Every structure is written in structure tokens, then in C-alpha cells.
Amino acid sequence: MRDDILYWVWLSLTSMPGSMVSGRLLSYFGSPGEIYRADESSFSDSPLDMSADALKPFLNKSLKSAERILEYCEKNKIGIMTSSDPFYPPRLGMLRNRPILLYYIGSFVDFDTVPCVSVVGMRKMSEYGRVCADKISYDLAKKGVCIVSGMAKGIDAAAHGGALRAGGKTIAVMGSGLDVVYPSENRALYEKICSDGLVISEFAPGTPPNGRNFPIRNRIISGISSAVIVAEAAERSGSLITAEYAIRQRKLLFAIPGKITDESSKGTNRLIAIGARACTCAEDVLSCVEKEFKSAELGSKIPLRPREKASEKKSFENTPSEKENNRSDFVFSGKRREEEVGETGGNIVPPDFFEKDKTPLFGKEGSKTTNKKEKDAPSQPYPEKEDKSDSGKKDREGFSDNVNDFSAGTLERPGEFMKLSDNERALYLYLTGDPVYGEPCFIDDIECGLTPAELMSAVTMLEIKGLAEHSGVGKIKAV
């Protein structure tokens, strides 16, 4: 079992967070162990069409970094959940660029029957935004909804706080390793969520909170949820990236309206203008979410246990079926089931992991843990990528610019999507959504509700704005 997890950690470090290449490799080879054992000829024989630069990291068979991370997680009681584990969030598993591995501290909800709603917004919130985020999160949590956010200061912290104040559950999705508390002022909130909720991260311990991490993290916030609420957002707020992911992932998108004269409401008001639903109270969201979770007893205490036993594992390639999403034989008792967690073979569940009086792992001022009894987290867990580009591309904090490594439309410029015209937005969503999802496609085959003239105009404008490019004769793809 430990060797199996070791290969998962190695693959996650090799393919980088936010990558689609790991999912493609798993679909072809079947398991991380098989990918690890594959030689260059095996990759060449595959239909993955990987460039030499993209292939190079997978030919490095050193497990030293993975060993250090695994040892650190075992020693510091950080759980590791892979996409093949039985309690991996099914909605997250439907994403093509889903994280193949999540590090976690805390307790899980049953994602099949417990609704999750994301509440996000700007860091420099107004008092109006704080009250709205806190109240709506509180009211939703009282009804049994799990609140998801990013534990940033501002709206995120208010959303987590409202859920905890209601005695409900909340999930914090971090843009750094779990040994890094960022921002440091939210250390007490982090401790509370570790104890009464769930903290997860795609990033290995030792990963600092680089700005590049947060747009990648945002796809998990929206992906794990049934609905996304943008509580307060200026025109270029980073929370608008989460809103775009919600649109691309076909999630319910809500925005809390604000004064038209307030800068902090321009983003949310614009979202409503382009089709987001106005949210003025928790009932606006519950009426929509309850349709997806007809069997959920909203208002009851959220349970704390994996959603199914190890014998009912789903394969990596399969998404949850209708039968799985409407299970009638799974009854919640609201009690922890450590024995079931221990039976799951794919993940690590450290001893005493569910004890209430456990000491969470802390960081100091956004740095490594200060616990001298524990070994420092592995530094620089992801390999540095040599920047060979001379075309003036923006530095990506060591991440590869290779098309094989990043999914199309991983946003770095908040508000850009909102400024597109209706026709440009329709084409962009087609190019970045299923079934195309960033792959080159013939312009003549595009079906996004536009006339030929409107389509060609939208293609030209997306190219001018750097969001699309030609890829062969008569083909276009999202950048």
C-alpha cells in the first residue's frame, strides 16, 4: 500500500498541479506504478503525443522527493487521498484536469448526499460584503450545506466563520502546502477548520503560497461544489476566476448584488448582467441545490465519514454513475467511522487522525512549521523548470508553459472573461469546455449558437485578445 501511494506522490510532483497530462497518462497506463515503470519507448508507443520537454520529467525515476513528502505526511498526520480512493469527491472527479492527489487534514463529508456550496469574494471586503458572506454561509450551514472557500482573508474567512458559527461543516482549499498557514492572520481559523471541518490542498507540503497557485486552486473550489456564490467582487477580483471556472464546469453561479456606485460590487453586478443568478438569501440557493440532492435531509447534522467502503471503489477513468449519485442504501448516523477509513487501501490515515484534541500543523508567517520536534517540510517539492522561452511570456513561477502540462484557459487575469462580448464568451466557453476542452477543432464544426459571420468575428476577436490561436488549416484552439 505504501509503495502505491509513493508512486501517486511521485506522479503528482512530476506532472505539476493543474495539469491534464497525469490524467491522460493514467487513462493509458492504468496506474502510477505502471507510469513509473514505463521507459521512453513505452511513452513513444502511446497516443499521448508528448513533446520531448514534457516527457523528460517522467523519465526521471528518482523517488527521493516523494519519499521525503510521504515521510513528512505520516509524521505530521497529513492524509493523502488519490483520485482512485472511494471518498474522492465525485463532482471533482468529473473534471478533466482534476487533481490526482489531495493532501488533507480533518474529516470528510459524504459528497454524494451532502450539498457543497462555494462562497468566495474579494480580500479587501466592505462591511456589507462581510455581513452578506457571514449570514448566507451561516444560514446555508444551518440547513446542512457544507461551505467551501479558500481561507483567504476577507470574504473567504467570513464564509468559513459563518459556517463554523452555525455548527456546520466547511472545507478550506489552500493554494499552498498544508504546513503553510496563509495568510498567517488566519491561523486560528485554520486550527478550527482542521478540528471541525476539512482542509485540503493539491500542493505538496513545503509549497509556498505563490501567486500562480491560486488560479489553479480555484478550479477545485468550484469543482467540488454544486453551486458558487460570489459575495463581493471588484472588477478585477481574483474571485472572478472562480466564477469563470464555475461557468465552464456548468455549475450554478450566484452573485450578491451591490450598489452600482461601489467599486467592490462592480464584479458581482457584472456577473448578474451576463447571466448569474442574484442571491439575496440562503433560500435562493437552497431552492436550486435541493433539486440535485433530493435524498439529502437538509437541516440535519452533516456526517463525518467516507461515503463508501473500499470494496466499492471506482476506477480513475470512470465518473460517478447515476446509480451512485442516488444511492438509497447508504444511511448516515452522523458518527465518525474510523474503522471504514482504515479499510480504504489507497489513502494514508495516520494514527489518531480523527481525535478531537489533535494538534494541527501550523506555520509561522506563511512559512514552514515551527514545531521543532518535526522535520521541516520538503523544500521546493516541485522540480524547477528551465525557462527556454524568449518570446516574452509571463513567468509562471517555475511551471511549464508546455501545452501538455496546462489545461486551456487556466486564468491569470481576473475580469478578462467578463469583458468579452456575448458572442466571444459563447465561443470561448465552447473551446474550453467539454468535449473540446482546449483541443484544436475545425472552425466549421463549432456549434455554439452563432451564425457563420458571428463565429468568424468572435474567432478574430479572441485571437486579438490572446485567448485563442489557429492550430493548423481551418482549426482553432483556446490558449
Side-chain angles (χ1 to χ4, degrees):
M1 183 184 77
R2 193 180 189 278
D3 287 344
D4 181 54
I5 282 291
L6 186 64
Y7 293 135
W8 280 100
V9 175
W10 169 82
L11 180 60
S12 70
L13 296 176
T14 304
S15 57
M16 299 296 184
S19 169
M20 285 197 300
V21 68
S22 56
R24 292 171 176 171
L25 289 171
L26 282 166
S27 295
Y28 179 75
F29 287 100
S31 72
E34 291 300 317
I35 298 172
Y36 177 81
R37 287 184 284 271
D39 55 18
E40 187 170 2
S41 62
S42 299
F43 286 103
S44 300
D45 294 340
S46 74
L48 301 176
D49 192 27
M50 296 175 66
S51 67
D53 286 342
L55 179 58
K56 187 177 179 180
F58 296 95
L59 300 178
N60 180 359
K61 306 302 182 179
S62 173
L63 294 173
K64 290 182 179 179
S65 294
E67 283 277 11
R68 287 198 299 269
I69 289 173
L70 190 54
E71 179 183 351
Y72 184 82
C73 289
E74 291 172 333
K75 199 169 185 178
N76 290 281
K77 302 180 182 178
I78 296 175
I80 300 179
M81 167 179 53
T82 73
S83 56
S84 67
D85 281 327
F87 48 97
Y88 187 88
R91 286 182 293 278
L92 195 58
M94 293 178 182
L95 305 184
R96 289 198 180 185
N97 63 338
R98 57 189 172 272
I100 64 165
L101 182 150
L102 290 171
Y103 301 90
Y104 68 95
I105 298 176
S107 304
F108 280 87
V109 303
D110 186 292
F111 292 100
D112 274 347
T113 57
V114 175
C116 291
V117 173
S118 297
V119 180
V120 297
M122 61 192 299
R123 288 172 170 80
K124 297 180 180 179
M125 63 179 176
S126 67
E127 179 63 15
Y128 168 76
R130 185 196 68 78
V131 171
C132 288
D134 178 87
K135 177 172 173 52
I136 288 180
S137 298
Y138 177 91
D139 293 342
L140 287 172
K142 274 291 186 182
K143 292 293 186 179
V145 174
C146 181
I147 301 300
V148 182
S149 199
M151 214 187 79
K153 65 181 180 180
I155 294 297
D156 287 17
H160 290 304
L164 292 170
R165 190 166 56 86
K169 295 301 166 184
T170 186
I171 299 174
V173 186
M174 298 181 65
S176 60
L178 291 185
D179 59 318
V180 180
V181 181
Y182 180 82
S184 58
E185 64 198 64
N186 283 353
R187 187 175 291 114
L189 176 63
Y190 171 84
E191 178 182 4
K192 184 66 173 175
I193 299 175
C194 285
S195 176
D196 297 340
L198 177 67
V199 182
I200 64 176
S201 178
E202 182 180 12
F203 300 94
T207 306
N210 292 328
R212 179 69 178 91
N213 297 353
F214 295 98
I216 298 173
R217 177 276 309 268
N218 288 354
R219 84 189 193 286
I220 301 177
I221 294 178
S222 58
I224 207 171
S225 306
S226 298
V228 174
I229 304 172
V230 183
E232 187 175 43
E235 196 171 20
R236 296 187 61 79
S237 169
S239 60
L240 299 181
I241 295 177
T242 309
E244 179 185 335
Y245 279 126
I247 295 172
R248 286 164 53 179
Q249 295 165 0
R250 307 298 189 263
K251 305 288 184 178
L252 293 169
L253 179 61
F254 296 84
I256 298 177
K259 294 180 180 179
I260 62 173
T261 55
D262 288 354
E263 288 292 328
S264 59
S265 294
K266 284 188 175 181
T268 47
N269 289 341
R270 177 59 181 157
L271 283 175
I272 294 171
I274 66 173
R277 307 184 188 205
C279 176
T280 58
C281 61
E283 284 68 27
D284 293 336
V285 181
L286 286 171
S287 61
C288 298
V289 172
E290 282 178 326
K291 295 176 183 178
E292 182 179 352
F293 293 88
K294 293 179 181 179
S295 62
E297 298 179 3
L298 296 184
S300 61
K301 185 178 179 181
I302 293 180
L304 305 175
R305 65 167 176 170
R307 63 186 185 83
E308 55 190 344
K309 295 182 180 180
S311 60
E312 302 173 76
K313 281 188 180 181
K314 299 180 295 296
S315 67
F316 181 92
E317 295 82 0
N318 296 332
T319 54
S321 65
E322 182 178 353
K323 181 179 179 181
E324 286 176 309
N325 282 331
N326 294 280
R327 295 183 58 178
S328 58
D329 61 330
F330 194 83
V331 181
F332 284 129
S333 63
K335 298 178 182 179
R336 289 188 173 94
R337 290 291 301 276
E338 294 88 342
E339 65 273 15
E340 284 192 10
V341 177
E343 291 173 5
T344 56
N347 69 307
I348 295 176
V349 183
D352 305 322
F353 192 71
F354 291 92
E355 287 188 3
K356 271 285 186 179
D357 60 349
K358 67 180 184 297
T359 302
L361 190 64
F362 295 111
K364 181 178 180 181
E365 300 298 323
S367 62
K368 296 176 182 177
T369 174
T370 58
N371 188 348
K372 294 182 179 179
K373 294 182 180 180
E374 306 293 353
K375 185 186 296 184
D376 283 345
S379 60
Q380 191 59 40
Y382 301 98
E384 290 286 358
K385 298 277 188 174
E386 183 181 356
D387 186 10
K388 300 179 180 179
S389 172
D390 56 357
S391 59
K393 290 184 179 180
K394 182 179 178 180
D395 177 31
R396 294 195 171 199
E397 300 289 350
F399 286 84
S400 171
D401 278 315
N402 190 289
V403 68
N404 287 318
D405 279 350
F406 275 87
S407 58
T410 299
L411 296 184
E412 296 182 0
R413 291 169 284 183
E416 183 177 49
F417 173 77
M418 307 242 303
K419 293 181 179 180
L420 300 178
S421 68
D422 291 342
N423 290 349
E424 293 163 7
R425 194 178 304 114
L427 175 58
Y428 183 68
L429 286 174
Y430 179 90
L431 294 175
T432 58
D434 287 328
V436 177
Y437 208 84
E439 299 294 336
C441 60
F442 285 102
I443 296 176
D444 291 342
D445 293 338
I446 294 176
E447 297 179 0
C448 58
L450 303 181
T451 66
E454 291 172 336
L455 177 60
M456 292 309 299
S457 176
V459 166
T460 301
M461 292 307 299
L462 289 185
E463 286 186 289
I464 292 173
K465 295 178 180 181
L467 295 176
E469 65 183 12
H470 276 279
S471 180
V473 179
K475 287 187 176 182
I476 191 173
K477 68 176 182 179
V479 176

